[in-house]
Amino acid sequence: MSKAETITTTASDPTVAAAAAQFLTPVVLGLQALTINGKQAHWHVRGANFVGVHELLDTIVAHAGDFADTAAERIVALGLPIDARVATVAEKAAATKVPAGFTSSDELVRDVIADIDAILADVRAAVEGLDEIDLTSQDVAIEIQRGLEKDRWFLVSHVAA
């Protein structure tokens, strides 16, 4: 290959890339929102379960950031940009249930579960929609679903009767 030749950034069909990005973008935005709102919850949790919930929320925030990165990098690997700036996340992600101030651990856990449920709806739509479009992108969505469902289970276990 001569120095004048270039290699395109993706071998993917542009139509496939656009369709995959259509399904993965809401997932990225929701996860970025969970990263921000989960940290807000982490700082303001109160109650008898403070330490456990405080530390668990840090883990969930870290996972959300990792999941967002995985989905965003898949979009970029397909040759498309992703806009996950704070203003875009605020405009396009589902509204959070996490309040601005101090909140009891049980209430806050339920709020974070509600936020995760909203993201899981987008993730499940991605899993279903990507089935006939791009199996590699679907695999990304499946892995995110698995991880979010595990984090949700850990939270539910804190408030289960």
Side-chain angles (χ1 to χ4, degrees), residues 11-26:
S12 182
D13 177 302
T15 305
V16 170
Q22 175 188 349
F23 285 106
L24 291 177
T25 296

Side-chain angles (χ1 to χ4, degrees), residues 37-154:
N37 297 320
K39 199 52 126 165
Q40 177 73 19
H42 163 85
W43 293 325
H44 291 91
V45 65
R46 293 290 187 261
N49 293 324
F50 169 77
V51 172
V53 173
H54 180 79
E55 291 175 356
L56 178 56
L57 288 170
D58 247 356
T59 299
I60 289 168
V61 164
H63 290 166
D66 289 345
F67 298 150
D69 190 53
T70 299
E73 287 180 351
R74 178 63 186 156
I75 293 168
V76 173
L78 290 171
L80 297 173
I82 177 76
D83 182 0
R85 294 172 297 164
V86 172
T88 304
V89 171
E91 178 187 336
K92 295 185 177 181
T96 184
K97 300 295 183 188
V98 174
F102 299 114
T103 308
S104 72
S105 61
D106 283 359
E107 183 179 339
L108 204 50
V109 165
R110 286 183 178 89
D111 294 338
V112 174
I113 291 168
D115 285 2
I116 289 173
D117 287 346
I119 299 163
L120 278 169
D122 287 335
V123 172
R124 289 181 183 121
V127 169
E128 185 176 318
L130 290 167
D131 184 47
E132 298 197 19
I133 295 170
D134 181 36
L135 294 179
T136 304
S137 295
Q138 184 191 44
D139 188 49
V140 166
I142 289 168
E143 182 62 18
I144 291 168
Q145 180 178 352
R146 184 204 57 77
L148 277 177
E149 287 176 348
K150 182 177 180 182
D151 286 345
R152 186 184 189 284
W153 163 53
F154 275 48

